[in-house]
Amino acid sequence: MNRMTVDEDAETLSFGADFEKSRPLLMSEVALVMQTKTGPKNDLTTVGDIFTKTLEYTQRFSRLKRKAEITEARAILEKYKDLHPFEAVQIANLAITSGMDEEGNIGEEAYELIPSLVSKVDETTIGELLQELDSLYYDISSK
């Protein structure tokens, strides 16, 4: 069998054939899907240890708890057409903030954590996206 090998590399947004038609998920979406597997009473006795630990992890680090909040975050991310879906999800999952660094640059953290952004999305655009997400997170936390 002659198969072409594809190097997977998040920095160049190369993920291989398995991910070409897949949509990356927000951690909050993963938690929501996993919760449906435990049933309405959140019965963890029917699932394994790895599932339980993964569910606990996603719940701990999910900033969005309700489906409406997730939908709103997705709508914000999808407005930024220059972003690859993986980049958009990473910005949300890594909880990157819009705060300025010591030199007054907005979005430096995003560029450091997601190197593929450097050559395609300017600082103003990143700043606007981060501010929109910060606003959503603030609205949620103040409820």
Side-chain angles (χ1 to χ4, degrees):
M1 177 183 257
N2 186 9
R3 294 179 71 177
M4 227 173 80
T5 312
V6 176
D7 289 332
E8 296 174 6
D9 182 4
E11 191 169 337
T12 61
L13 303 174
S14 300
F15 301 107
D18 291 341
F19 293 97
E20 284 179 11
K21 295 182 181 167
S22 299
R23 175 180 163 181
L25 297 176
L26 296 167
M27 194 164 320
S28 301
E29 291 171 318
V30 173
L32 200 60
V33 169
M34 292 183 81
Q35 288 167 357
T36 64
K37 300 294 182 192
T38 62
K41 295 183 181 178
N42 204 21
D43 182 11
L44 295 175
T45 60
T46 60
V47 296
D49 286 342
I50 293 173
F51 183 95
T52 302
K53 288 177 183 178
T54 304
L55 176 60
E56 289 169 355
Y57 178 88
T58 59
Q59 289 173 329
R60 180 176 180 197
F61 292 104
S62 295
R63 295 180 84 179
L64 310 166
K65 305 298 182 195
R66 293 185 204 93
K67 190 173 182 176
E69 297 165 353
I70 294 168
T71 302
E72 191 171 345
R74 272 281 176 194
I76 291 169
L77 295 171
E78 289 171 359
K79 287 190 326 187
Y80 294 86
K81 305 289 184 199
D82 289 342
L83 293 177
H84 185 280
F86 174 78
E87 293 168 325
V89 166
Q90 286 301 95
I91 288 171
N93 283 343
L94 293 171
I96 298 171
T97 64
S98 64
M100 289 187 188
D101 66 10
E102 301 82 43
E103 289 86 37
N105 299 315
I106 296 176
E108 285 302 310
E109 184 180 16
Y111 292 134
E112 289 175 21
L113 294 172
I114 309 165
S116 60
L117 294 173
V118 174
S119 62
K120 64 189 272 190
V121 184
D122 63 58
E123 187 178 303
T124 303
T125 303
I126 291 292
E128 290 170 0
L129 169 58
L130 295 175
Q131 287 175 346
E132 282 190 72
L133 288 173
D134 279 353
S135 179
L136 172 63
Y137 299 146
Y138 176 78
D139 289 347
I140 292 167
S141 67
S142 64
K143 288 182 181 178

